[in-house]
Amino acid sequence: MVKKVCVFIGSRANYSSIRAAMSAIDKNPSLELQIVVGSSAVLDKYGAVINLIEKDGFNIVRKSYMSIQGETPATMAKSTGLCMMDMSTIFDELKPDYVVVVGDRYEIMAPALAAAYMNIPLVHTMGGEVTGTIDESIRHAVTKLAHIHFPANKESADRIIRLGERQDMVFTVGCPRIDMVKQIMESPFENINQLCELFGGVGYEIDFDKPFLLVSQHPVTTEFVSARKQMAETLQAIEVLDMQTVMLWPNSDAGSDFISKAIRSYREKNPQNKIHLFKNLPMEVYITLMMKTACLIGNSSSGIREGEFIGTPCVNIGSRQAGRERGENVIDVDNDSKQIEDAVRKQISHGQYISKHIYGDGRAGEKIAEILAGLGKIDIQKRITY
Amino acid sequence: MVKKVCVFIGSRANYSSIRAAMSAIDKNPSLELQIVVGSSAVLDKYGAVINLIEKDGFNIVRKSYMSIQGETPATMAKSTGLCMMDMSTIFDELKPDYVVVVGDRYEIMAPALAAAYMNIPLVHTMGGEVTGTIDESIRHAVTKLAHIHFPANKESADRIIRLGERQDMVFTVGCPRIDMVKQIMESPFENINQLCELFGGVGYEIDFDKPFLLVSQHPVTTEFVSARKQMAETLQAIEVLDMQTVMLWPNSDAGSDFISKAIRSYREKNPQNKIHLFKNLPMEVYITLMMKTACLIGNSSSGIREGEFIGTPCVNIGSRQAGRERGENVIDVDNDSKQIEDAVRKQISHGQYISKHIYGDGRAGEKIAEILAGLGKIDIQKRITY
Amino acid sequence: MVKKVCVFIGSRANYSSIRAAMSAIDKNPSLELQIVVGSSAVLDKYGAVINLIEKDGFNIVRKSYMSIQGETPATMAKSTGLCMMDMSTIFDELKPDYVVVVGDRYEIMAPALAAAYMNIPLVHTMGGEVTGTIDESIRHAVTKLAHIHFPANKESADRIIRLGERQDMVFTVGCPRIDMVKQIMESPFENINQLCELFGGVGYEIDFDKPFLLVSQHPVTTEFVSARKQMAETLQAIEVLDMQTVMLWPNSDAGSDFISKAIRSYREKNPQNKIHLFKNLPMEVYITLMMKTACLIGNSSSGIREGEFIGTPCVNIGSRQAGRERGENVIDVDNDSKQIEDAVRKQISHGQYISKHIYGDGRAGEKIAEILAGLGKIDIQKRITY
Amino acid sequence: MVKKVCVFIGSRANYSSIRAAMSAIDKNPSLELQIVVGSSAVLDKYGAVINLIEKDGFNIVRKSYMSIQGETPATMAKSTGLCMMDMSTIFDELKPDYVVVVGDRYEIMAPALAAAYMNIPLVHTMGGEVTGTIDESIRHAVTKLAHIHFPANKESADRIIRLGERQDMVFTVGCPRIDMVKQIMESPFENINQLCELFGGVGYEIDFDKPFLLVSQHPVTTEFVSARKQMAETLQAIEVLDMQTVMLWPNSDAGSDFISKAIRSYREKNPQNKIHLFKNLPMEVYITLMMKTACLIGNSSSGIREGEFIGTPCVNIGSRQAGRERGENVIDVDNDSKQIEDAVRKQISHGQYISKHIYGDGRAGEKIAEILAGLGKIDIQKRITY
């Protein structure tokens, strides 16, 4: 009997973290893939991830418009409630055998809880990690709801087991995002020189034959009032470094509007800046940029995770990635323009690093599909092991 | 500065588990009590707990109608999403310094997540226990979201710490429900002989000067299709025992309609039965019944927890209380009429037990209020300890 | 090109009012039928209309659990909001060419508004009538949102046109409910003597070879506090008349719990009563009962509408059907046991009436399907005609 | 007894249309004002109307975050459902004696329906008018739900009565927006020359001593795909006219993102343009601009309504204001850059017009408060008059 695997995608990060597994599930004759998209992934404003997914040949079966405007912690909570209502209806219609949720963004609580309440085995990838913000609480709470765990590395697997989960339901497969990185590194995006023409965006025309910086900074939920100030520090460092810079708009977390405002206001005041802004870039382009950039700056997990595999010099700012296992390619600094500037100069002179593959060998997706296909009946009744 | 403590009550069990703490918070000059009521606690159908709360002299500041009819796992999830939406609005208006949630019923996820997402320190009582059903997952997930823990006993406290929580935020205070039990045992309900006149209900007129059974059985969420069958087994045992019986209607979990149906159908078919059904009884009456009953039968936690303190002989049926620490007063049996019958006969001949106070000494509420009043600024950023 | 016609069904009355049109749509090669079920029609408690629909061979494409417990005017409004959220998602997925809503119950505002906002031509049947309660406001408001009108009679059609609707979009087709009545009258339900065995229910065993009364009474929304009192008057009249009586449980409007309570309390106090209660009966059974009953009592529209076609002697109580066009078969009385009693006695001595077909000739469903199939592009922009 | 009057405000247009009545209600000793804010009025992105209201000295008692991102017709419907859920809770808490809704924007259906379902007398201002878009349907549907009507002019009052409303519940008071216009005209905003410094915005520095254009264009809901194209026509005309131009960002209707995009893209491509963009301006500033502008261009109702009172030369584009009664100051044109250009040139040479006060004499707010204070018990049961 074919088992239905329902994957929830709520953001572009979600998608790139699970795409390799989705492909493998889709190809596995014992499994049927059901894709449900929600949160910022359905919104044009955040790059219409939904279109990327379809362009990649996947069939989306349901979508949920659930993002309530306001982008305060209260609307984040209200949006999650709304998403949970939608998910209960969707799962009732789709009747999946597994629900898969990725990582730790706020909206994944909605499909996670709906699945758990509806007695559908819950699969969680990228659990057991340690970071800052509310993500830290969400990730471990989802672990306590999930039946099957696919952590990205050994350290995370150990942590999941210490949280009282059954050892036989914890499978260390590596990070599926690395699968795609590996693939892209084998054939990188070719037309990097036509990037601005191809993907629009606004601002300075980058010459990709010369060194450039890459910036990706997101709001830190529990400190959202200072999000604007933090972005201003980063922009100040970039101003001083005076290099051409590719920058991405922030994701849809509480506080993202503040970052966007900081960027807009900076551009109005510094019409001579060398920044080109993109709304969203296909992963293959982003990874290619990571392969070529002089330094990746910001607080995205990509510097730590994909960066380690690629060997990208990276300056990680602030608390957002606190606790996440990292390689030698990362220098951590505070939200301080001087520290940022100094670290970037150090990274530029160092150049590329050599990876130790701490986030997997590039076969995670394949392993996830195989394990799900092979699993017998799941005991829906969880029980802490101590 | 007075700190606002917002307590969420979603069911009658919730209320009796936290009432002693509510009283102590209300009396503490450093604390202001904000009561929010939702789920079955606002519904007449489940005994209008809201009226009890007001009759007890508390002031309710907000209520949420959130129970979506259907009583399937899907509507349970949808209801929780709806409750989460309401809670986000309510907390945004009330701006509490703490949000307190009790235990492990499905709806508490709504205030727990809303508080966590909104950076309000979350207080959890009765965490760290081990039981069956989805409650098991919910309880531990809430632990991973909560900032301050008030477990009922040492064993539970240890479990919370093993789950990676900071030891200095775990306070073993005992169960506040026992505070009230103690108080009631000192002056029990006097007019027990007028019970049927005073509290209505339907069925056989009980003579409380003669031995009687007490039955409280709820649906087991993850097995809801068999809820009706399970109740039929219990009713079969009661039929054979042929004693006068006080029975309570089930709570509002998925499956409760099935239990109600089993009861109604039994009554139609056995017009000569000796059962009197009550919709809901004030705790003082219920505890007095526990002090006097020949045997408490069912799967309510009251037999294990309050029963241990009172010394009530108890027959616990099925998986609902699996894993909960218990004293000598409990005999566990399967959903099987013969096993139930035999165990009840054994308990009747044994009579009252002597308590070892494993769920506290009756001062839990007081301790909770004192600790909340004394706490300094809470670090809203959680971090697993390993 | 085949046009997709999405029909929303929210109650058993809805269903029987549109079933003939559904069959005709389903058979029409130019039309595709999409059935969406919500409100009380998905609930077991109200007779699981959803199962009837499927048993009749229709395919349900979506359902919405939207009934929030509490059954007060506030939860009625909240439920409608919830239904509207669900409908927006459903219509976005189904992309219907028409949305059809029936009559005037509170929940139909949800699909009506969702369709109007989403630029989907809205079809309304049974508009233009005049009654009491909030239904009166809802019906005319839906008329102002609808693009295509199928009133049941000439008088209603005139009223719709006076409301400023385009004359060419108002089609007087008769009431589709009469189509089914006609069909059933040609071959009535045969096993009426086995009714209690076949359809369960509780209470007195009716002998259908002897005269019997038929009672169907619903709460009047804007007077819900007195719903219990009103039902008590009716029960008092029945007590005095001392005839065997078939009674139906009320629908799910605000106040229905009060009526149910009045019935339960009456039965407890009058164990010797001659009432048999059914939760819900298939329309074919109900119509057959209307053909045979000595008198139909209550405030259901069936007495006025179907009753006129069948010729059933009917006593209509209170304000619920005020303003609805009626034939000679109806005697109107207040909520007063004496008035009810007298009117029933008068009807019993009169016996059957002869119909003047004021609600159509039994071909309404067919006409609706033909007109929808034949319509060209609808001008989605409405404009009042004066 | 003081009567509680709850006013719902969902947009900045709503606010300026009812502010005069709010002031009068607030001052009336027989009335208590309860302000509830929702939809775009709570959002920073649309000018944080909520802050204006508080700055004006009003006390906001509740707010509803209800705008679901996506800005398609489907999310507009979903948002309205969400708002309706919130309103049911809010009205249940506030227990108003009247609920007041203004005009015809999509979100007002939420408070209107909630009030009607909850048996609260519904008051509607600015009903009976005729325009394009879905607003046309909404306005008349609200009339059919409302108990008390305050149309802005005689023509609208007649239309309401023809819709079957009781004549004694229709009060022609004029438009409360004109009350404020009158007040502002008596003491206009003084620092108009410092506008850009004071209110920020982006773009060309306007010299207010020289002639300037004023542009306010919103999406037309039922044609939202072409919203971008329509805005491009307007921008093209402005380009050719080559005058300095004050422009406002669009409101939050479905399609507003498309207009914003058209503006952003135009600015990127025409760095030499003479447009200054403001997010939102206080009414006193906007009216002062209307007094001084050479020509108001767009599809805002302000040109027709306030413009008639002020005498502003106005070019009204497209279908959005179709059917609204207008004075001589308006020239209607299609969404065509040439037509727009020609009409603007004609208006510039004409200059100011003289008003005939077709939208009231400036005492509407006062009259509304007096009437509400004086009304006896409202018959909650509506009944069409024919």
Side-chain angles (χ1 to χ4, degrees), chain A residues 106 117 133 136 159 381 384, chain B residues 106 117 133 136 381 384:
Chain A
Y106 70 91
Y117 281 23
T133 83
E136 168 76 0
R159 215 173 273 117
Q381 175 66 64
I384 196 165
Chain B
Y106 71 92
Y117 282 22
T133 81
E136 168 76 0
Q381 174 65 65
I384 197 165

Side-chain angles (χ1 to χ4, degrees), chain D residues 12 40 45-47 71 105 215-220 227 231 247-264 277-280 299 320:
Chain D
R12 71 174 105 146
S40 68
K45 188 176 164 191
Y46 299 104
E71 298 189 2
R105 271 176 61 90
V215 179
S216 173
Q217 185 157 333
H218 303 288
V220 178
M231 190 65 207
M247 190 176 287
L248 296 171
W249 291 106
N251 63 21
S252 69
D253 287 327
S256 70
D257 275 4
F258 293 81
I259 292 207
S260 301
K261 267 183 199 163
I263 298 172
R264 287 210 188 86
L277 277 147
F278 289 104
K279 211 191 219 168
N280 189 19
N299 57 12
R320 195 162 176 265

Side-chain angles (χ1 to χ4, degrees), chain C residues 363-384:
Chain C
R363 288 189 54 244
E366 224 172 290
K367 292 176 195 166
I368 288 173
E370 272 165 30
I371 292 166
L372 289 181
L375 276 175
K377 192 167 162 35
I378 300 301
D379 185 1
I380 201 70
Q381 174 66 64
K382 289 193 69 179
R383 182 71 46 95
I384 196 166

